[in-house]
Amino acid sequence: MDNWLNRRHALLGAAALGVMGGASPVLAHRLTTTTTHVDIDSGTGLVEVIHSFHVHDTETALATEGLIDSPNLSALKERAQLALYTQETFSLYQNEKIVPLEVVGAELDRGNVLAYQQGKLSLPIGELSIKAEMMRKFVHNQINNVDVVVNGKVTSLQFRGSDGIKKVLA
């Protein structure tokens, strides 16, 4: 009887692994989300921004749209093009005026590509707003998640569809 239970468990376990293993390639692609972390030092006004994109889906989408030369974000030129595209499609506003953010760079990090920006707010900070349009014009169901940290307090925003500017601090 013990052998039958062990064999049965082994067969069920193998079947479960087969089902889960068969599903994982489908789930591994089409990650239609980005994550952005905005860190603001309210004492100095320094702003540091890190955007995280899934490498494969981003390089495919941007190449299809002609925004990068080839679907290969391991190449420096394409990462620079992504960083410039991000600069065009992500905006931070202070008291309804755009805050200039400069491109710092972009790098690969495992299955993601990170694009970096920095800027400076005038003090006191006042009202802050964000616009995050990255890939929403050409990727169906694209969602851009943005976490803004000011004085240790996190405000999370989500941009999808035709969402425009959203307030962080009023």
Side-chain angles (χ1 to χ4, degrees):
M1 187 73 164
D2 286 335
N3 287 340
W4 181 78
L5 286 176
N6 289 339
R7 209 171 319 155
R8 181 175 177 214
H9 288 135
L11 289 172
L12 286 173
L17 286 174
V19 169
M20 289 177 7
S24 62
V26 173
L27 297 174
H29 296 288
R30 300 307 319 149
L31 297 176
T32 58
T33 60
T34 64
T35 302
T36 298
H37 181 86
V38 181
D39 191 26
I40 298 172
D41 183 329
S42 64
T44 63
L46 183 63
V47 178
E48 297 175 333
V49 184
I50 303 171
H51 306 275
S52 179
F53 299 85
H54 181 264
V55 171
H56 176 72
D57 294 328
T58 301
E59 62 192 7
T60 300
L62 294 179
T64 299
E65 290 299 311
L67 296 169
I68 60 175
D69 293 337
S70 68
N72 179 8
L73 287 169
S74 63
L76 178 61
K77 182 178 179 183
E78 279 69 16
R79 287 195 315 275
Q81 289 170 316
L82 169 66
L84 292 171
Y85 167 75
T86 303
Q87 185 176 27
E88 294 170 10
T89 55
F90 178 85
S91 301
L92 173 64
Y93 298 86
Q94 181 180 26
N95 302 320
E96 299 183 6
K97 294 179 184 171
I98 197 159
V99 175
L101 295 174
E102 66 182 43
V103 172
V104 176
E107 68 178 342
L108 292 176
D109 181 37
R110 297 184 198 122
N112 296 310
V113 60
L114 306 176
Y116 301 96
Q117 295 176 288
Q118 67 182 13
K120 186 140 177 148
L121 299 171
S122 57
L123 299 176
I125 292 175
E127 182 181 298
L128 292 178
S129 303
I130 301 272
K131 180 171 67 173
E133 297 180 320
M134 298 84 74
M135 302 195 310
R136 288 192 299 141
K137 291 182 180 175
F138 52 86
V139 174
H140 181 66
N141 293 328
Q142 175 69 30
I143 299 170
N144 296 325
N145 297 307
V146 180
D147 290 333
V148 182
V149 181
V150 181
N151 295 332
K153 181 183 176 202
V154 179
T155 302
S156 296
L157 303 172
Q158 191 172 77
F159 296 85
R160 59 175 69 215
S162 60
D163 288 351
I165 298 171
K166 294 188 178 188
K167 290 188 186 242
V168 178
L169 295 175

